[in-house]
Amino acid sequence: MSRKFFIKTFGCQMNEYDSNRISDLVKKNGYIKTEDLNDTDCYILNTCHIREKATEKVYHDIGRLKKKYRHKKKPLVLITGCVAQAENDEMLKREKYIDAVIGPQSYQNIPKVINDLESKIKQVNFTDFDVIEKFDELNTLENSNSKVSSFITIQEGCDKFCSFCVVPYTRGAEYSRSPEEIINEAKQLVLNGAKEIVLLGQNVNAYNFKTEENFFKLSNLINRLNKIEGIKRIRYTTSHPKDMTEDLINCYKNVNKLMPFLHLPVQSGSNKILKKMNRKYTREKYLSIIKKMREILPNMEFSSDFIVGYPGETDKDFEDTLDLIKKVNFVNSFSFIYNKRPGTPASNFQSIDEKLQKKRLIIIQSLLQKIQKRKNMKSIRKIKKVLIENRLKNQKNFFGRTIDLTPVIVEAKDQDIGNVIDVEITASNHNGLYGFKKNLKKEVAA
Ligand code: SAM
Ligand code: SF4
Ligand code: F3S
């Protein structure tokens, strides 16, 4: 009988992508994937280190696993991702139930780790940074995890060192994969049924591959992907405002598959705080990027990430952030209370009052929600182009997204999965839209 593996993912889209690739690797060892946590031979937790709570969740999950398997054969327990990288040996010491910690640049070693553990070799630590070897190995695998909307990691790591962030320490220096590898992977995903390609990187717009003659940038890659038949939509995330170069902005003029939507985290609208965060741009620079892009595409929408209650943030600084939100009219955004991360420069700064942080989070979230709700309401009775991704579990309706990533629940047909269809919007809330496929009644009657 085949052995089974269970994988749980925390954190960003890059971790989701990695989990799919880890699954491909574990299958090489003869394991099959299970969704049943009560019956697994190998338990993998792909972790995130961005906030303190994310780390604590890992130990809670292992505690629960231990209870479940108290009277059964213990599964192999592998910890991957950014907590594994940041805490490595500490994790093995703190929790003896863990068999291996494997950092994001060492996933190519997973088949060997599992073989070693099956041969009863003691706890294993693989947390070296070897990004080239990692992608060399992963390129030999077929990416078998295509969905209608599929991710491709094109760039890893970060050289920006924002004062609050752990990513440069957990994912290492910036590294760009070769265009050929990426194009081949995109073609493979299309063969498996992908219609939308989302290019991923911690700093995706810092993508820069050195060829013999020159540099191949994100704008070049987008142009190449645009030519692949079968791809209907192209997106990329997450971008840093400092790397929104002219060539990339100009793609919005003539690359027809590039969606008029950009996630461009600003973090704060105050120049004083941006400087203290080491973000390397000003609010004026940020607003000028938005203006330039909306001049090219008036229907261009933006989403963002915000950190509230950063050390030194005064009422005036916070007001500047609210003002910037109103100026840009962001959609689909995320906001977080500043969380002190050990080892980062900001961890030495004086924190501000916790109650004030919480109050500001409520204010910013209600403003973002209000804008989103207003925008969603404006869509009622309009026709929206929606890429249908899947049928909702146990329901007759389908899930899709508009060009600006707004989720839509749609009455449609199974044949519509993978197609961009016209949807008549009938209702909305702050989370998304509801509607039906235009002419559905005629199709059903026919
Ligand atoms: N590279 C992206 C950028 O430059 O904006 C962000 C990547 S990070 C994985 C995602 C988001 O987590 C950030 O945009 C930031 O808002 C949030 N974040 C990172 N460190 C944080 C911290 N120490 N406390 C609170 N939020 C944090
Ligand atoms: Fe973190 Fe800043 Fe790098 Fe984004 S750019 S991953 S926030 S250090
Ligand atoms: Fe978390 Fe690592 Fe992503 S810290 S957000 S999983 S890069």
Side-chain angles (χ1 to χ4, degrees):
M1 212 170 64
S2 285
R3 288 154 299 167
K4 297 174 190 143
F5 74 98
F6 178 96
I7 185 161
K8 181 167 176 182
T9 312
F10 296 108
C12 60
Q13 291 151 320
M14 301 203 53
N15 255 17
E16 260 182 65
Y17 173 87
D18 284 347
S19 284
N20 286 335
R21 308 318 306 277
I22 291 169
S23 298
D24 287 338
L25 284 164
V26 181
K27 285 176 192 163
K28 270 178 119 178
N29 288 56
Y31 284 73
I32 56 168
K33 197 171 174 182
T34 177
E35 304 294 330
D36 184 3
L37 182 54
N38 294 306
D39 181 22
T40 186
D41 305 286
C42 175
Y43 177 78
I44 305 166
L45 211 50
N46 196 11
T47 61
C48 171
H49 197 54
I50 204 85
R51 280 171 287 275
E52 199 182 357
K53 273 192 188 144
T55 311
E56 280 316 304
K57 272 188 204 157
V58 175
Y59 291 107
H60 286 152
D61 273 35
I62 294 179
R64 277 201 292 273
L65 188 76
K66 266 165 110 174
K67 272 194 196 152
K68 276 187 194 296
Y69 284 81
R70 204 168 25 206
H71 303 300
K72 288 194 264 184
K73 183 172 175 260
K74 172 191 176 304
L76 297 180
V77 177
L78 271 50
I79 309 298
T80 58
C82 292
V83 179
Q85 186 63 48
E87 305 221 335
N88 54 69
D89 270 343
E90 279 309 305
M91 296 197 90
L92 294 175
K93 278 190 216 143
R94 176 169 162 181
E95 184 46 89
K96 298 284 178 223
Y97 207 69
I98 299 173
D99 296 297
V101 290
I102 308 155
Q105 313 310 347
S106 305
Y107 294 153
Q108 70 280 6
N109 298 308
I110 285 177
K112 179 177 176 342
V113 170
I114 292 180
N115 278 335
D116 287 355
L117 290 172
E118 284 171 340
S119 334
K120 303 264 179 281
I121 289 176
K122 281 201 184 115
Q123 287 181 309
V124 187
N125 179 353
F126 265 109
T127 45
D128 287 345
F129 284 106
D130 199 346
V131 76
I132 298 178
E133 197 188 303
K134 168 185 165 175
F135 280 113
D136 279 351
E137 175 62 26
L138 294 186
N139 286 331
T140 65
L141 296 174
E142 255 185 27
N143 190 338
S144 61
N145 297 291
S146 282
K147 295 188 194 152
V148 167
S149 177
S150 286
F151 297 140
I152 305 182
T153 291
I154 64 164
Q155 180 273 340
E156 278 259 6
C158 178
D159 298 342
K160 299 280 190 298
F161 291 92
C162 300
S163 317
F164 52 83
C165 184
V166 292
V167 172
Y169 313 99
T170 61
R171 295 271 174 167
E174 282 174 11
Y175 167 84
S176 297
R177 289 176 73 193
S178 84
E180 272 58 45
E181 286 169 28
I182 298 164
I183 301 289
N184 285 342
E185 193 167 332
K187 286 181 177 164
Q188 179 65 47
L189 289 169
V190 169
L191 282 178
N192 294 354
K195 306 290 177 190
E196 175 175 271
I197 297 292
V198 185
L199 305 173
L200 297 181
Q202 271 88 13
N203 269 293
V204 73
N205 56 344
Y207 176 83
N208 201 2
F209 184 82
K210 194 172 181 306
T211 64
E212 283 192 353
E213 310 87 58
N214 52 19
F215 287 98
F216 197 88
K217 299 172 71 175
L218 179 60
S219 56
N220 305 114
L221 190 58
I222 290 172
N223 273 290
R224 284 274 293 273
L225 288 168
N226 199 52
K227 294 192 185 116
I228 298 180
E229 222 178 294
I231 295 179
K232 295 183 178 174
R233 289 180 169 184
I234 302 170
R235 304 182 187 276
Y236 58 93
T237 195
T238 297
S239 299
H240 192 288
K242 185 174 170 281
D243 295 317
M244 281 314 296
T245 48
E246 289 295 321
D247 56 313
L248 183 55
I249 294 177
N250 281 333
C251 282
Y252 288 86
K253 285 186 184 157
N254 45 27
V255 183
N256 63 322
K257 294 177 186 173
L258 183 61
M259 290 295 100
F261 172 82
L262 182 64
H263 182 60
L264 194 62
V266 64
Q267 314 298 355
S268 169
S270 150
N271 281 338
K272 182 189 97 192
I273 296 296
L274 287 172
K275 192 151 189 230
K276 225 173 155 186
M277 287 178 164
N278 192 29
R279 286 293 289 181
K280 303 181 176 78
Y281 53 84
T282 60
R283 70 180 264 132
E284 290 74 23
K285 174 73 193 159
Y286 186 89
L287 287 168
S288 78
I289 297 169
I290 305 285
K291 184 165 175 271
K292 217 181 277 175
M293 296 186 75
R294 283 200 167 133
E295 273 164 13
I296 294 175
L297 280 179
N299 68 338
M300 183 87 195
E301 297 282 8
F302 297 88
S303 68
S304 193
D305 292 346
F306 301 91
I307 295 180
V308 298
Y310 196 68
E313 186 189 69
T314 60
D315 284 346
K316 165 78 176 69
D317 297 318
F318 183 58
E319 284 299 324
D320 284 348
T321 302
L322 298 178
D323 176 70
L324 184 125
I325 292 175
K326 289 177 200 153
K327 285 201 163 75
V328 180
N329 261 318
F330 290 102
V331 296
N332 305 319
S333 295
F334 302 94
S335 44
F336 314 97
I337 288 181
Y338 166 68
N339 191 244
K340 205 178 242 203
R341 302 309 285 130
T344 59
S347 65
N348 301 315
F349 301 166
Q350 182 70 44
S351 301
I352 71 162
D353 178 53
E354 216 175 292
K355 274 196 195 132
L356 188 59
Q357 287 181 315
K358 286 186 180 150
K359 192 174 143 206
R360 287 182 183 162
L361 185 71
I362 294 172
I363 297 172
I364 199 168
Q365 290 191 334
S366 64
L367 174 62
L368 290 166
Q369 256 190 34
K370 198 172 111 192
I371 296 172
Q372 184 77 50
K373 205 169 158 187
R374 197 171 57 211
K375 178 183 166 275
N376 288 350
M377 264 177 74
K378 277 193 190 158
S379 297
I380 295 179
R381 284 186 288 282
K382 300 239 166 73
I383 302 288
K384 294 276 168 190
K385 295 261 176 234
V386 177
L387 173 61
I388 302 294
E389 295 187 16
N390 53 276
R391 185 192 262 273
L392 292 169
K393 254 190 195 157
N394 309 325
Q395 283 190 37
K396 65 176 179 32
N397 288 335
F398 293 79
F399 175 85
R401 288 187 186 272
T402 61
I403 52 173
D404 59 17
L405 270 192
T406 305
V408 196
I409 298 194
V410 189
E411 266 182 66
K413 289 167 139 185
D414 281 316
Q415 303 87 290
D416 297 318
I417 294 175
N419 289 332
V420 177
I421 61 168
D422 283 340
V423 173
E424 199 169 325
I425 304 300
T426 51
S428 75
N429 59 26
H430 69 267
N431 289 320
L433 305 171
Y434 299 83
F436 59 86
K437 182 185 181 187
K438 197 179 149 196
N439 296 332
L440 180 67
K441 282 187 189 137
K442 276 189 210 158
E443 277 183 35
V444 172

